[in-house]
């Protein structure tokens, strides 16, 4: 005869813990199998293979008695089937094994007579563990019945196994029977639980007092001031506690699942009016309950179909229908009001606890209660919104109550409380370590003294528990270790564990105490004499309180997961994203939108070690969602900022000088009778007048929306999701940087077709306006907007940004070099020396734009401000490249006329011979034209360099004075070292906009632009003597060609502009700059002065010959040409007026100026 089992030897507590965890693991696997089989893309390929279709139909029809001989079509793929379906098959085998263990444990608990121990208010862990196991078991079987192709999967695998091993899998007969038994799961389950009725009924009966107390309406919460810390100020510092502390934060959703499904397993108990009442209450709170994750059960139809098969329970069908009607018509409103109350209650909690985190200690229970209540309401809303009622009820208005635009606010306050608990975890730990030592240990010791006839097992456990919590002390002792501390076995040198270990970050572990208490609950059975907890409620309440206190020290993360885990959103992804976008579009909720990215950090909690393969998919899903959320938030903030910037740019544009003239004209024309208010309309600043503060303008609304959204972005510096860290502010920073860069280029308004472009001064005004708006973002978000400016504006000084797009520098570079200067060369536009700008001479020259509006001092200074020294350097390099191309053509022309020019160089003092030689020269006009182009380019460059100098002297005056000092003291360059120093200083000076005797940029381009021989091979680096000769001959060519300008109609001198109509005066700068660079390039820098003296001699002798000409066409503009010679000497750093006087009578120049001014006055 077998010995009756003894409670202390059966390890019921351990088995309940392990089996419940195993149930969740198997549920996870079954859930994934169901999802895979229900999706055509992810289901095993064999189940969709048309060649196996007849075999699968045969298996399903004959299941579980399958004859493998009739399945010969499987023989070719039998090994593949086993590999593909083994994971599915052995999951079902694991389920069968789990089912056996659950049945064994439930039977054991019945034999031990634990029905009197199952009381949620006393033996919380035992009762919860038991009910969880029962409902998990029911959920497993219901979910199993929902798996499509389960018969096909099992049948295919077993047939393949039989073909490979000549026998079927040994587990298949029992598996097949289980599948058949649970086709209608509730019928079989109710039969199974007939022996367990007493046990289950006792556990459920203990919920009769708890559930009504927890299932309150919002009005009852409001009347009781639920979760309020300030309704009774005198009790503010007193610890919040009850006799049933774990029940206070137990999920209401869990309670309802226990009751609604639990009583279905023992349906005859529904004849009891009290049971029926509590059961119908749970059915009236909603029309679906959670099975697992997003798998739900339409509970009323499920129950109804079961009750209709039981004649003795047919009367209950009407109760179920009535409960359904009540649920559909009243539940959405009831839950909406609950969410409304919880929003204000959690907000109050977070505000008070943020201000006074020390209250977290005594009021921790309120925090976890609030989180649990809120989580239940969120879960209810998710599943009911996703699963509308199967049958509509006339009085129901559920649809509008199932869309909650304020849900983000509730989620945000939940996240805020979670963050507070994590942030101030040491506050909680310090408080409860002192509580455990200062009160709980003493109270437990006193209760133990009053107990009589305490069994040895309980006595050892309680004594150990009392001793361990009594060892906690607030005394300051030597440093404790940072390793994990198990209070059951480790103490410090004084035999005590202290608050100091909290400060030092020690990790506590009270799991031993909690497991011991679980064991005591399991020992308290009907079949065993000793400690009966139902007769010692005071002790049960105290130890439940102690367990809660220990959790506050070492179990905070798990407590937060237990009460506020929202990883369910991972499986309601569409709702998750819809709620996010709805929040984004609702400005009043924008500040709470950060809750959505924060919730993504919960999703790791829904994984289970029994199903590791789903971790990757959940991880990828959560990472992609959090990235998308932060991207959308930053994009929306960027769009709002862009709208504000655009509006401000429009307003600043109205303040530009060009808009004042129409205003002045309209003011003069307006009639005197018009009111002043009417006259003021349309003027800048009119938009700032307000009639009332209540009327919000568009800008007001935009600023409010920006404030709210930036609060969310700025709420936390980082969001941790799995092993990745996301920084919301960095998303905003990147979007602002990209948008600012695009806006800058967009504001240039360059149109390649019409050649239109924004004036640099207007662009600079818009850019400054844009920047001033962006700077205000720092008022809302802790980001360094200067970093945006530095990165973007520095990139705009280059020809391409980091994305390979064109920049402001590239656009203006192209426009000035290829459009403006080309139009100057075409005529009608001259360079005015006194206005320091290019000016349109005729109305034709002002179309489609006026050159002076883009080339005057203000515009070029604005350009220098925009593109900076780097951009101006790029512009210079482009201009120099154009000059180099012209030089190449000039060299070609010199080569053509080489012999003639050599003769002219040696016979310049022989007028008649020179006249004959000049007639032999080819393409003289081309030489003059190309030199004029070079001169125009260099004049524009000079303007740009002067503008750069002005801009830099305002920005970096001290650095500019240092550069000037270097220029003043640099050696002359007589030795090689001094020459190198001179080159470096010249390059630095040129980059700062200063003019140098020899232009280093032009020399550099000429060196880089060497001629290439006919084979395409670059010539040797050494400059040959013939290049020097070519340069000298070019100088001769230009000098002897200057007199030809006198016969051109366009050479007339415009005294108003101090310029020639064909820009011949630009030759002065062109000749001096070009020949100085060419001789330096040839390695003859020391000969520049001598060569220019030679040029002056050639030019002056050629011009003097004009005095002997009698042909009026030849000397038409002789005076203007004489002035050119004077300007060449005036521009030269190498030639002096004394030299000019020696070569050319100054009286001719004086008379020339007199003549052109007189002609201009009479003309």
């Amino acid at each position: 005869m077998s010995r009756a089992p003894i409670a202390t030897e059966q390890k019921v507590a351990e088995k309940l813990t392990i089996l419940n965890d195993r149930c969740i693991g198997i549920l996870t696997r079954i859930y994934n199998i169901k999802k895979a089989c229900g999706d055509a893309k992810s289901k095993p390929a064999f189940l969709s293979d048309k060649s196996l279709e007849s075999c699968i139909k045969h298996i399903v029809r004959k299941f579980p008695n399958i004859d493998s001989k009739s399945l010969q079509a499987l023989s070719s793929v039998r090994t593949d089937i086993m590999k593909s379906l083994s994971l599915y098959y052995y999951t079902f085998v694991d389920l069968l094994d789990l089912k056996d263990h659950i049945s064994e444990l439930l039977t054991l608990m019945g034999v031990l007579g634990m029905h009197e121990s199952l009381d949620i208010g006393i033996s919380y862990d035992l009762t919860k563990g038991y009910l969880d196991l029962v409902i998990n078991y029911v959920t497993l079987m219901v979910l199993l019945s929902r798996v499509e192709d389960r018969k096909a999967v099992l049948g295919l695998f077993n047939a393949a196994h039989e073909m490979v091993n000549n026998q079927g899998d040994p587990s298949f007969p029992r598996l097949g029977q289980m599948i058949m038994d649970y086709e209608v799961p509730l019928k079989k389950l109710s039969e199974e639980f007939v022996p367990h009725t007493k046990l289950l009924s006792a556990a459920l009966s203990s919920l009769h007092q708890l559930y009504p107390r927890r299932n309150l309406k919002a009005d009852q919460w409001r009347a009781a001031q639920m979760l309020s810390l300030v309704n009774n100020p005198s009790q503010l510092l007193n610890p919040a506690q009850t006799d049933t502390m774990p029940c206070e934060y137990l999920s209401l959703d869990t309670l309802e699942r226990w009751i609604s499904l639990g009583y279905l397993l023992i349906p005859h108990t529904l004849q009891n009016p009290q049971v029926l009442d509590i059961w119908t209450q749970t059915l009236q709170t909603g029309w679906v309950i959670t099975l697992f994750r997003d798998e739900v059960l339409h509970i009323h139809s499920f129950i109804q179909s079961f009750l209709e098969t039981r004649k003795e329970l047919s009367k209950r069908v009407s109760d179920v229908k009535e409960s359904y009607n009540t649920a559909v018509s009243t539940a959405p409103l009831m839950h909406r009001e609950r969410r409304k109350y919880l929003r204000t209650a959690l907000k109050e909690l977070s505000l008070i606890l943020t201000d006074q985190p020390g209250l977290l200690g005594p009021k921790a229970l309120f925090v976890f209660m609030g989180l649990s209540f809120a989580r239940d309401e969120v879960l209810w809303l998710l599943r009911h919104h996703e699963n509308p009622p199967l049958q509509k009820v006339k009085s129901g208005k559920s649809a509008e109550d199932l869309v909650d635009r304020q849900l983000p606010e509730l989620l945000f306050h939940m996240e805020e409380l979670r963050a507070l608990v994590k942030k101030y975890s040491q506050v909680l730990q310090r408080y409860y370590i002192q509580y455990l030592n200062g009160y709980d240990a003493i109270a437990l010791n006193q209760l133990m003294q009053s107990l009589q006839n305490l069994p040895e097992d309980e006595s050892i456990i309680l004594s150990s528990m009392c001793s361990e919590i009594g060892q906690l002390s607030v005394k300051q002792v030597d440093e404790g270790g940072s390793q994990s501390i198990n209070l059951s076995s480790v103490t410090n040198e004084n035999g005590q564990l202290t608050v100091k270990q909290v400060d030092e970050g020690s990790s506590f572990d009270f799991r031993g105490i909690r497991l011991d208490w679980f064991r005591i609950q399991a020992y308290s059975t009907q079949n065993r004499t000793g400690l009966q907890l139902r007769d010692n409620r005071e002790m049960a309440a105290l130890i439940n309180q102690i367990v809660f206190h220990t959790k506050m020290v070492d179990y905070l993360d798990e407590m937060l997961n237990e009460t506020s885990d929202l990883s369910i959103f991972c499986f309601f992804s569409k709702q998750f994203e819809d709620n996010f976008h709805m929040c984004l579009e609702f400005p009043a909720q924008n500040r709470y939108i950060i809750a959505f990215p924060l919730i993504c950090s919960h999703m790791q909690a829904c994984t289970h070690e029994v199903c590791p393969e789903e971790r990757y998919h959940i991880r990828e899903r959560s990472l992609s969602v959090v990235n998308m959320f932060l991207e959308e938030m930053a994009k929306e903030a960027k769009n709002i900022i862009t709208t504000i910037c655009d509006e401000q740019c429009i307003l600043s544009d109205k303040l530009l000088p060009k808009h004042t003239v129409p205003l002045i004209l309209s003011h003069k024309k307006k009639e005197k009778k018009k009111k002043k208010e009417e006259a003021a309309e349309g003027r800048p600043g009119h938009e700032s007048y307000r009639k009332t503060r209540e009327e919000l303008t568009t800008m007001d609304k935009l600023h409010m929306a920006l404030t709210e959204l930036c609060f969310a972005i700025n709420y936390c510096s980082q969001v941790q999701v799995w092993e990745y860290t996301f920084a919301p502010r960095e998303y905003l920073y990147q979007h602002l940087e990209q948008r600012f860069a695009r806006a800058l280029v967009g504001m240039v308004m360059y149109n390649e077709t019409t050649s239109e472009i924004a004036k640099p001064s207007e662009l600079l005004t818009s850019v400054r306006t844009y920047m001033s708006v962006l700077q205000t973002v720092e008022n809302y978000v802790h980001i360094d907007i200067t970093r945006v400016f530095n990165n973007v504006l520095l990139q705009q000084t280059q020809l391409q940004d980091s994305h390979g797009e064109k920049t402001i520098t590239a656009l203006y570079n192209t426009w000035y070099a290829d459009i403006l200067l080309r139009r100057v060369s075409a005529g009608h536009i001259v360079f005015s020396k006194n206005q320091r700008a290019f000016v349109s001479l005729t109305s034709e020259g002002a179309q489609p734009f006026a050159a002076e509006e883009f080339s005057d001092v203000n515009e070029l200074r604005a350009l220098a401000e925009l593109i900076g020294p780097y951009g101006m350097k790029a512009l210079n390099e482009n201009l120099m490249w154009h000059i180099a191309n012209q030089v190449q053509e000039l060299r070609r022309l010199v080569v053509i006329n080489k012999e003639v020019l050599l003769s002219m160089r040696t016979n310049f003092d022989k007028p008649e011979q020179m006249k004959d030689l000049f007639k032999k020269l080819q393409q003289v006009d081309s030489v003059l034209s190309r030199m004029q182009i070079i001169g125009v380019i260099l004049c524009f460059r000079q303007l740009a360099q002067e503008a750069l100098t002005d801009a830099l002297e305002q920005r970096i005056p001290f650095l500019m004075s240092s550069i000037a000092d270097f220029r003043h003291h640099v050696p002359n360059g007589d030795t090689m070292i001094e020459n190198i120093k001179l080159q470096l200083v010249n390059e630095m000076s040129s980059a700062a906009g200063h003019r140098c005797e020899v232009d280093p940029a032009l020399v550099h381009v000429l060196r880089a632009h060497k001629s290439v021989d006919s084979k395409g091979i670059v010539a040797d680096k050494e400059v040959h003597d013939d290049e020097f000769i070519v340069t000298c001959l070019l100088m001769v060519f230009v000098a002897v060609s200057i007199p030809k300008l006198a016969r051109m109609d366009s050479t007339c001198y415009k005294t108003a502009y101090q310029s020639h109509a064909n820009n011949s005066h630009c030759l002065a700068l062109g000749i001096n700059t070009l020949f100085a660079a060419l001789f330096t390039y040839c390695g003859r820098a020391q000969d520049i002065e001598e060569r220019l003296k030679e040029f002056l001699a050639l030019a002056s002798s050629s011009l003097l010959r004009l005095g002997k000409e009698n042909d009026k066409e030849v000397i038409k503009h002789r005076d203007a040409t004489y002035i050119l010679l004077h300007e060449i000497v005036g521009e030269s750093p190498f030639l002096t007026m004394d030299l000019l006087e020696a070569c050319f009578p100054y009286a001719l120049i004086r008379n020339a100026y007199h003549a052109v001014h007189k002609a201009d006055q009479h003309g």
Side-chain angles (χ1 to χ4, degrees), residues 174-220:
R174 292 190 63 221
L175 263 180
Q177 190 59 47
M178 180 180 72
I179 296 296
M180 298 306 294
D181 287 345
Y182 291 95
E183 284 287 316
V184 183
L186 202 51
K187 180 180 178 183
K188 178 64 177 175
L189 287 166
S190 62
E191 293 172 3
E192 276 187 33
F193 272 84
V194 170
H196 310 306
T197 300
K198 194 173 184 181
L199 206 61
L200 183 56
S201 179
L204 293 173
S205 297
S206 70
L207 305 177
H208 288 193
Q209 289 183 342
L210 176 62
Y211 181 71
R213 179 165 62 83
R214 288 290 311 278
N215 186 33
L216 300 177
K217 294 183 178 179
D219 290 337
Q220 293 170 295

Side-chain angles (χ1 to χ4, degrees), residues 17 167 269 357 421 433 480 496 576 602 684 696 701 705 726 747 795 844 1143:
T17 304
Q167 61 176 9
T269 57
V421 171
I433 279 179
Q496 295 177 326
F576 197 26
H602 298 204
L696 293 179
K701 293 174 183 176
F726 295 84
M747 287 189 289
Q795 288 183 36
E844 293 179 11
C1143 299

Side-chain angles (χ1 to χ4, degrees), residues 119 539 604 802 897 1144:
D119 186 334
M539 172 170 281
Q604 189 172 0
S802 57
N897 297 281
F1144 195 87

